[in-house]
Coordinates of all heavy atoms in Angstrom, one line a residue:
L176 N 2.1 12.3 1.5 CA 0.8 12.6 2.3 C 0.8 12.0 3.6 O 0.5 12.6 4.6 CB -0.3 12.0 1.4 CG -1.7 12.3 1.9 CD1 -2.6 12.5 0.7 CD2 -2.2 11.2 2.7
Q197 N 2.2 -6.8 -14.6 CA 2.4 -6.9 -13.1 C 3.7 -6.2 -12.7 O 4.6 -6.0 -13.4 CB 2.6 -8.5 -12.8 CG 1.3 -9.2 -12.5 CD 0.5 -9.3 -13.7 OE1 0.9 -9.8 -14.7 NE2 -0.8 -9.0 -13.6
D214 N 8.7 -7.5 8.5 CA 9.6 -6.3 8.9 C 9.1 -5.7 10.2 O 8.0 -5.2 10.2 CB 9.7 -5.3 7.8 CG 10.8 -4.3 7.9 OD1 11.0 -3.8 9.1 OD2 11.6 -4.1 7.0
N323 N -14.5 -6.9 -4.2 CA -14.8 -6.8 -5.6 C -15.6 -8.0 -6.2 O -15.2 -9.1 -6.0 CB -13.6 -6.6 -6.4 CG -13.8 -6.4 -7.9 OD1 -13.7 -7.4 -8.7 ND2 -14.2 -5.2 -8.4
G404 N -32.5 -10.3 5.6 CA -32.0 -9.1 6.3 C -31.9 -7.9 5.4 O -32.4 -7.9 4.3
V412 N -18.1 3.1 -1.2 CA -17.1 2.1 -1.0 C -16.7 1.5 -2.4 O -17.6 1.1 -3.1 CB -17.6 1.0 -0.1 CG1 -16.6 -0.1 0.0 CG2 -18.0 1.6 1.3

Side-chain angles (χ1 to χ4, degrees):
L176 185 145
Q197 269 72 46
D214 195 314
N323 180 263
V412 175

